[in-house]
mmCIF file of all heavy atoms in Angstrom:
data_model
loop_
_atom_site.group_PDB
_atom_site.id
_atom_site.type_symbol
_atom_site.label_atom_id
_atom_site.label_comp_id
_atom_site.label_asym_id
_atom_site.label_seq_id
_atom_site.Cartn_x
_atom_site.Cartn_y
_atom_site.Cartn_z
ATOM 1 N N ILE A 89 0.835 -1.201 0.000
ATOM 2 C CA ILE A 89 0.000 0.000 0.000
ATOM 3 C C ILE A 89 0.872 1.255 0.000
ATOM 4 O O ILE A 89 0.656 2.172 -0.794
ATOM 5 C CB ILE A 89 -0.981 -0.014 1.189
ATOM 6 C CG1 ILE A 89 -2.037 -1.108 0.979
ATOM 7 C CG2 ILE A 89 -1.637 1.353 1.374
ATOM 8 C CD1 ILE A 89 -2.888 -1.408 2.194
ATOM 9 N N ALA A 90 1.856 1.289 0.868
ATOM 10 C CA ALA A 90 2.720 2.469 0.965
ATOM 11 C C ALA A 90 3.488 2.714 -0.333
ATOM 12 O O ALA A 90 3.590 3.852 -0.802
ATOM 13 C CB ALA A 90 3.678 2.316 2.138
ATOM 14 N N GLU A 91 4.007 1.660 -0.926
ATOM 15 C CA GLU A 91 4.810 1.789 -2.141
ATOM 16 C C GLU A 91 3.976 2.122 -3.369
ATOM 17 O O GLU A 91 4.497 2.676 -4.338
ATOM 18 C CB GLU A 91 5.599 0.503 -2.387
ATOM 19 C CG GLU A 91 6.685 0.265 -1.349
ATOM 20 C CD GLU A 91 7.257 -1.143 -1.390
ATOM 21 O OE1 GLU A 91 6.914 -1.921 -2.309
ATOM 22 O OE2 GLU A 91 8.032 -1.476 -0.478
ATOM 23 N N ASN A 92 2.702 1.797 -3.350
ATOM 24 C CA ASN A 92 1.842 2.009 -4.519
ATOM 25 C C ASN A 92 0.795 3.089 -4.294
ATOM 26 O O ASN A 92 -0.147 3.214 -5.078
ATOM 27 C CB ASN A 92 1.185 0.691 -4.918
ATOM 28 C CG ASN A 92 2.208 -0.296 -5.424
ATOM 29 O OD1 ASN A 92 2.694 -0.194 -6.535
ATOM 30 N ND2 ASN A 92 2.586 -1.245 -4.569
ATOM 31 N N SER A 93 0.959 3.851 -3.233
ATOM 32 C CA SER A 93 0.036 4.950 -2.964
ATOM 33 C C SER A 93 0.047 5.919 -4.136
ATOM 34 O O SER A 93 1.109 6.241 -4.669
ATOM 35 C CB SER A 93 0.455 5.690 -1.691
ATOM 36 O OG SER A 93 -0.260 6.900 -1.583
ATOM 37 N N PRO A 94 -1.121 6.421 -4.532
ATOM 38 C CA PRO A 94 -1.170 7.391 -5.627
ATOM 39 C C PRO A 94 -0.820 8.808 -5.149
ATOM 40 O O PRO A 94 -1.556 9.762 -5.395
ATOM 41 C CB PRO A 94 -2.617 7.285 -6.115
ATOM 42 C CG PRO A 94 -3.397 6.900 -4.909
ATOM 43 C CD PRO A 94 -2.462 6.010 -4.103
ATOM 44 N N GLY A 95 0.297 8.912 -4.453
ATOM 45 C CA GLY A 95 0.737 10.227 -3.988
ATOM 46 C C GLY A 95 -0.013 10.739 -2.776
ATOM 47 O O GLY A 95 -0.092 11.945 -2.555
ATOM 48 N N LEU A 96 -0.539 9.828 -1.983
ATOM 49 C CA LEU A 96 -1.269 10.198 -0.776
ATOM 50 C C LEU A 96 -0.514 9.734 0.459
ATOM 51 O O LEU A 96 0.040 8.628 0.466
ATOM 52 C CB LEU A 96 -2.659 9.557 -0.767
ATOM 53 C CG LEU A 96 -3.618 10.021 -1.848
ATOM 54 C CD1 LEU A 96 -4.827 9.109 -1.894
ATOM 55 C CD2 LEU A 96 -4.041 11.451 -1.595
ATOM 56 N N PRO A 97 -0.514 10.530 1.521
ATOM 57 C CA PRO A 97 0.093 10.050 2.761
ATOM 58 C C PRO A 97 -0.759 8.938 3.359
ATOM 59 O O PRO A 97 -1.993 9.002 3.344
ATOM 60 C CB PRO A 97 0.098 11.288 3.658
ATOM 61 C CG PRO A 97 -0.949 12.191 3.110
ATOM 62 C CD PRO A 97 -1.042 11.892 1.645
ATOM 63 N N VAL A 98 -0.092 7.914 3.863
ATOM 64 C CA VAL A 98 -0.793 6.792 4.492
ATOM 65 C C VAL A 98 -1.016 7.141 5.958
ATOM 66 O O VAL A 98 -0.075 7.350 6.706
ATOM 67 C CB VAL A 98 0.006 5.480 4.354
ATOM 68 C CG1 VAL A 98 -0.728 4.334 5.053
ATOM 69 C CG2 VAL A 98 0.234 5.154 2.883
ATOM 70 N N LEU A 99 -2.280 7.213 6.344
ATOM 71 C CA LEU A 99 -2.630 7.544 7.723
ATOM 72 C C LEU A 99 -2.390 6.361 8.650
ATOM 73 O O LEU A 99 -1.963 6.522 9.786
ATOM 74 C CB LEU A 99 -4.096 7.993 7.798
ATOM 75 C CG LEU A 99 -4.581 8.507 9.129
ATOM 76 C CD1 LEU A 99 -3.881 9.820 9.482
ATOM 77 C CD2 LEU A 99 -6.089 8.723 9.094
ATOM 78 N N GLY A 100 -2.662 5.159 8.165
ATOM 79 C CA GLY A 100 -2.482 3.966 8.979
ATOM 80 C C GLY A 100 -3.145 2.770 8.344
ATOM 81 O O GLY A 100 -3.568 2.810 7.185
ATOM 82 N N PHE A 101 -3.249 1.705 9.128
ATOM 83 C CA PHE A 101 -3.740 0.434 8.609
ATOM 84 C C PHE A 101 -4.747 -0.191 9.568
ATOM 85 O O PHE A 101 -4.606 -0.078 10.789
ATOM 86 C CB PHE A 101 -2.571 -0.539 8.414
ATOM 87 C CG PHE A 101 -1.518 -0.007 7.487
ATOM 88 C CD1 PHE A 101 -0.376 0.586 7.997
ATOM 89 C CD2 PHE A 101 -1.681 -0.084 6.117
ATOM 90 C CE1 PHE A 101 0.603 1.082 7.155
ATOM 91 C CE2 PHE A 101 -0.710 0.417 5.256
ATOM 92 C CZ PHE A 101 0.434 1.003 5.776
ATOM 93 N N LEU A 102 -5.717 -0.876 9.000
ATOM 94 C CA LEU A 102 -6.696 -1.642 9.765
ATOM 95 C C LEU A 102 -6.481 -3.119 9.445
ATOM 96 O O LEU A 102 -6.429 -3.494 8.269
ATOM 97 C CB LEU A 102 -8.121 -1.229 9.385
ATOM 98 C CG LEU A 102 -8.485 0.217 9.681
ATOM 99 C CD1 LEU A 102 -9.822 0.572 9.041
ATOM 100 C CD2 LEU A 102 -8.519 0.467 11.177
ATOM 101 N N PRO A 103 -6.349 -3.962 10.460
ATOM 102 C CA PRO A 103 -6.038 -5.370 10.205
ATOM 103 C C PRO A 103 -7.240 -6.155 9.699
ATOM 104 O O PRO A 103 -8.395 -5.835 9.993
ATOM 105 C CB PRO A 103 -5.610 -5.873 11.585
ATOM 106 C CG PRO A 103 -6.373 -5.025 12.541
ATOM 107 C CD PRO A 103 -6.440 -3.663 11.894
ATOM 108 N N GLU A 104 -6.932 -7.187 8.939
ATOM 109 C CA GLU A 104 -7.937 -8.196 8.575
ATOM 110 C C GLU A 104 -8.295 -8.908 9.872
ATOM 111 O O GLU A 104 -7.399 -9.297 10.637
ATOM 112 C CB GLU A 104 -7.363 -9.177 7.562
ATOM 113 C CG GLU A 104 -8.246 -10.350 7.249
ATOM 114 C CD GLU A 104 -9.423 -9.980 6.362
ATOM 115 O OE1 GLU A 104 -9.316 -9.020 5.585
ATOM 116 O OE2 GLU A 104 -10.450 -10.657 6.448
ATOM 117 N N ASP A 105 -9.566 -9.064 10.157
ATOM 118 C CA ASP A 105 -9.963 -9.681 11.417
ATOM 119 C C ASP A 105 -11.233 -10.488 11.208
ATOM 120 O O ASP A 105 -12.269 -9.925 10.833
ATOM 121 C CB ASP A 105 -10.190 -8.598 12.473
ATOM 122 C CG ASP A 105 -10.291 -9.164 13.876
ATOM 123 O OD1 ASP A 105 -10.957 -10.198 14.070
ATOM 124 O OD2 ASP A 105 -9.706 -8.553 14.781
ATOM 125 N N PRO A 106 -11.181 -11.805 11.422
ATOM 126 C CA PRO A 106 -12.381 -12.628 11.243
ATOM 127 C C PRO A 106 -13.503 -12.246 12.202
ATOM 128 O O PRO A 106 -14.661 -12.583 11.981
ATOM 129 C CB PRO A 106 -11.890 -14.054 11.497
ATOM 130 C CG PRO A 106 -10.579 -13.923 12.169
ATOM 131 C CD PRO A 106 -10.024 -12.584 11.830
ATOM 132 N N GLY A 107 -13.185 -11.517 13.256
ATOM 133 C CA GLY A 107 -14.223 -11.064 14.184
ATOM 134 C C GLY A 107 -15.229 -10.145 13.534
ATOM 135 O O GLY A 107 -16.374 -10.050 13.987
ATOM 136 N N VAL A 108 -14.843 -9.471 12.449
ATOM 137 C CA VAL A 108 -15.776 -8.585 11.738
ATOM 138 C C VAL A 108 -16.896 -9.409 11.109
ATOM 139 O O VAL A 108 -18.075 -9.066 11.214
ATOM 140 C CB VAL A 108 -15.037 -7.751 10.670
ATOM 141 C CG1 VAL A 108 -16.013 -6.955 9.828
ATOM 142 C CG2 VAL A 108 -14.011 -6.837 11.331
ATOM 143 N N ARG A 109 -16.529 -10.504 10.482
ATOM 144 C CA ARG A 109 -17.536 -11.380 9.868
ATOM 145 C C ARG A 109 -18.444 -11.985 10.941
ATOM 146 O O ARG A 109 -19.665 -12.042 10.785
ATOM 147 C CB ARG A 109 -16.853 -12.480 9.065
ATOM 148 C CG ARG A 109 -17.861 -13.350 8.312
ATOM 149 C CD ARG A 109 -17.201 -14.371 7.402
ATOM 150 N NE ARG A 109 -16.415 -13.662 6.398
ATOM 151 C CZ ARG A 109 -15.178 -14.018 6.038
ATOM 152 N NH1 ARG A 109 -14.593 -15.059 6.559
ATOM 153 N NH2 ARG A 109 -14.531 -13.342 5.125
ATOM 154 N N GLU A 110 -17.838 -12.386 12.055
ATOM 155 C CA GLU A 110 -18.626 -12.937 13.156
ATOM 156 C C GLU A 110 -19.624 -11.906 13.678
ATOM 157 O O GLU A 110 -20.779 -12.228 13.950
ATOM 158 C CB GLU A 110 -17.707 -13.367 14.301
ATOM 159 C CG GLU A 110 -16.830 -14.544 13.986
ATOM 160 C CD GLU A 110 -15.803 -14.800 15.075
ATOM 161 O OE1 GLU A 110 -16.075 -14.462 16.252
ATOM 162 O OE2 GLU A 110 -14.732 -15.337 14.754
ATOM 163 N N ALA A 111 -19.169 -10.672 13.811
ATOM 164 C CA ALA A 111 -20.042 -9.600 14.302
ATOM 165 C C ALA A 111 -21.207 -9.388 13.360
ATOM 166 O O ALA A 111 -22.352 -9.241 13.786
ATOM 167 C CB ALA A 111 -19.245 -8.311 14.472
ATOM 168 N N ASP A 112 -20.921 -9.359 12.066
ATOM 169 C CA ASP A 112 -21.977 -9.129 11.090
ATOM 170 C C ASP A 112 -23.010 -10.259 11.122
ATOM 171 O O ASP A 112 -24.214 -10.007 11.079
ATOM 172 C CB ASP A 112 -21.369 -8.989 9.697
ATOM 173 C CG ASP A 112 -22.407 -8.606 8.667
ATOM 174 O OD1 ASP A 112 -23.079 -7.574 8.853
ATOM 175 O OD2 ASP A 112 -22.563 -9.353 7.687
ATOM 176 N N ARG A 113 -22.531 -11.459 11.222
ATOM 177 C CA ARG A 113 -23.448 -12.604 11.228
ATOM 178 C C ARG A 113 -24.313 -12.660 12.480
ATOM 179 O O ARG A 113 -25.454 -13.094 12.444
ATOM 180 C CB ARG A 113 -22.664 -13.903 11.089
ATOM 181 C CG ARG A 113 -22.082 -14.074 9.713
ATOM 182 C CD ARG A 113 -21.264 -15.333 9.601
ATOM 183 N NE ARG A 113 -20.752 -15.478 8.243
ATOM 184 C CZ ARG A 113 -19.881 -16.390 7.881
ATOM 185 N NH1 ARG A 113 -19.428 -17.259 8.771
ATOM 186 N NH2 ARG A 113 -19.456 -16.458 6.644
ATOM 187 N N SER A 114 -23.751 -12.213 13.594
ATOM 188 C CA SER A 114 -24.491 -12.283 14.859
ATOM 189 C C SER A 114 -25.198 -10.977 15.211
ATOM 190 O O SER A 114 -25.908 -10.915 16.215
ATOM 191 C CB SER A 114 -23.543 -12.675 15.993
ATOM 192 O OG SER A 114 -22.595 -11.644 16.204
#
Protein backbone atom coordinates (compact mmCIF):
# COMPACT_ATOMS: atom_id res chain seq x y z
CA ILE A 1 0.00 0.00 0.00
CA ALA A 2 2.72 2.47 0.97
CA GLU A 3 4.81 1.79 -2.14
CA ASN A 4 1.84 2.01 -4.52
CA SER A 5 0.04 4.95 -2.96
CA PRO A 6 -1.17 7.39 -5.63
CA GLY A 7 0.74 10.23 -3.99
CA LEU A 8 -1.27 10.20 -0.78
CA PRO A 9 0.09 10.05 2.76
CA VAL A 10 -0.79 6.79 4.49
CA LEU A 11 -2.63 7.54 7.72
CA GLY A 12 -2.48 3.97 8.98
CA PHE A 13 -3.74 0.43 8.61
CA LEU A 14 -6.70 -1.64 9.77
CA PRO A 15 -6.04 -5.37 10.21
CA GLU A 16 -7.94 -8.20 8.58
CA ASP A 17 -9.96 -9.68 11.42
CA PRO A 18 -12.38 -12.63 11.24
CA GLY A 19 -14.22 -11.06 14.18
CA VAL A 20 -15.78 -8.58 11.74
CA ARG A 21 -17.54 -11.38 9.87
CA GLU A 22 -18.63 -12.94 13.16
CA ALA A 23 -20.04 -9.60 14.30
CA ASP A 24 -21.98 -9.13 11.09
CA ARG A 25 -23.45 -12.60 11.23
CA SER A 26 -24.49 -12.28 14.86
